[in-house]
Amino acid sequence: MKYNGKTQILRRSFIFSNLNDDELSELANLAIERSFGPNEFIFWDGDTPEWFYIITEGKVKVLKYSSSGREFIIAFFGPYEMFGEVAVFENKPYPASAQAIAETKVVGVKGEDLLSFLANRPQVALKIINVLGGGGSGMPRDALETLPGRELSNALPVYCLCFRQSLALPFPLLDRRSPI
């Protein structure tokens, strides 16, 4: 089976590192490739979270603006790193803006396509949760809203709860009513 460039990008992304070739190939069919010029915004703080992205080349900064217009840089992302995924999983507006700082190419996956993909493949959702359980990869929304000084260690519960709600799958360890 021949794999396209999108499959290879997904394979190198932390969150999808446990997926097998067939799962990656199916996911790659949902992905699109986009390019952004220097200083071009990919999304704005408060936008509806339709897509998350993996950088194939270039660099992206995630930032917020104060009420006085001052820019606060939250993070930089480079090749094979993902951004925008927490907002997509939570289905809440992007908590910050993302801007290309050089010629940048990304692979994007529409959130509703990913959630549909995962709903039909709960074993893939569990693989992703397992990867995230090894240390987490994203910045939780509350960390962005209460900058500075929140730990990233609470990323795993955010992802688990989002998957649980989005897929309507039982995750007894996350349910306070569970006897476990």
Side-chain angles (χ1 to χ4, degrees), residues 65-95:
Y65 288 100
S66 71
S67 58
S68 65
R70 184 170 175 201
E71 179 181 286
F72 290 94
I73 298 173
I74 296 163
F76 289 96
F77 294 95
Y80 312 109
E81 292 183 308
M82 181 182 302
F83 63 98
E85 75 280 10
V86 173
V88 167
F89 291 147
E90 288 184 330
N91 195 29
K92 293 183 179 176
Y94 291 114

Side-chain angles (χ1 to χ4, degrees), residues 13 42 52 64 121 153 169:
S13 174
I42 299 164
F52 70 89
K64 287 186 77 76
R121 294 160 194 81
S153 61
L169 294 173

Side-chain angles (χ1 to χ4, degrees), residues 24-44:
L24 285 168
S25 183
E26 286 182 63
L27 187 57
N29 288 332
L30 303 176
I32 61 152
E33 295 174 287
R34 293 185 64 191
S35 296
F36 297 92
N39 300 316
E40 187 175 350
F41 279 85
I42 299 164
F43 55 77
W44 288 91

Side-chain angles (χ1 to χ4, degrees), residues 146-166:
T146 60
L147 286 173
R150 297 285 308 232
E151 289 188 28
L152 299 181
S153 61
N154 47 345
L156 177 62
V158 170
Y159 283 116
C160 290
L161 290 172
C162 291
F163 277 126
R164 178 180 180 215
Q165 292 168 352
S166 298

Side-chain angles (χ1 to χ4, degrees), residues 15-154:
I15 194 170
F16 300 123
S17 62
N18 277 354
L19 274 58
N20 66 38
D21 291 343
D22 291 335
E23 293 162 344
L24 285 168
S25 183
E26 286 182 63
L27 187 57
N29 288 332
L30 303 176
I32 61 152
E33 295 174 287
R34 293 185 64 191
S35 296
F36 297 92
N39 300 316
E40 187 175 350
F41 279 85
I42 299 164
F43 55 77
W44 288 91
D45 182 356
D47 282 353
T48 301
E50 295 182 36
W51 298 85
F52 70 89
Y53 301 94
I54 301 168
I55 300 169
T56 60
E57 62 183 70
K59 198 167 192 179
V60 170
K61 69 178 173 181
V62 174
L63 61 133
K64 287 186 77 76
Y65 288 100
S66 71
S67 58
S68 65
R70 184 170 175 201
E71 179 181 286
F72 290 94
I73 298 173
I74 296 163
F76 289 96
F77 294 95
Y80 312 109
E81 292 183 308
M82 181 182 302
F83 63 98
E85 75 280 10
V86 173
V88 167
F89 291 147
E90 288 184 330
N91 195 29
K92 293 183 179 176
Y94 291 114
S97 300
Q99 181 182 28
I101 58 175
E103 288 293 331
T104 300
K105 294 182 182 180
V106 299
V107 168
V109 178
K110 199 166 192 174
E112 65 187 34
D113 292 344
L114 176 67
L115 294 177
S116 177
F117 174 80
L118 294 174
N120 293 318
R121 294 160 194 81
Q123 74 284 1
V124 174
L126 293 174
K127 286 180 181 182
I128 291 171
I129 290 170
N130 184 49
V131 167
L132 295 172
S137 66
M139 181 177 284
R141 173 177 299 279
D142 63 346
L144 293 174
E145 292 174 349
T146 60
L147 286 173
R150 297 285 308 232
E151 289 188 28
L152 299 181
S153 61
N154 47 345

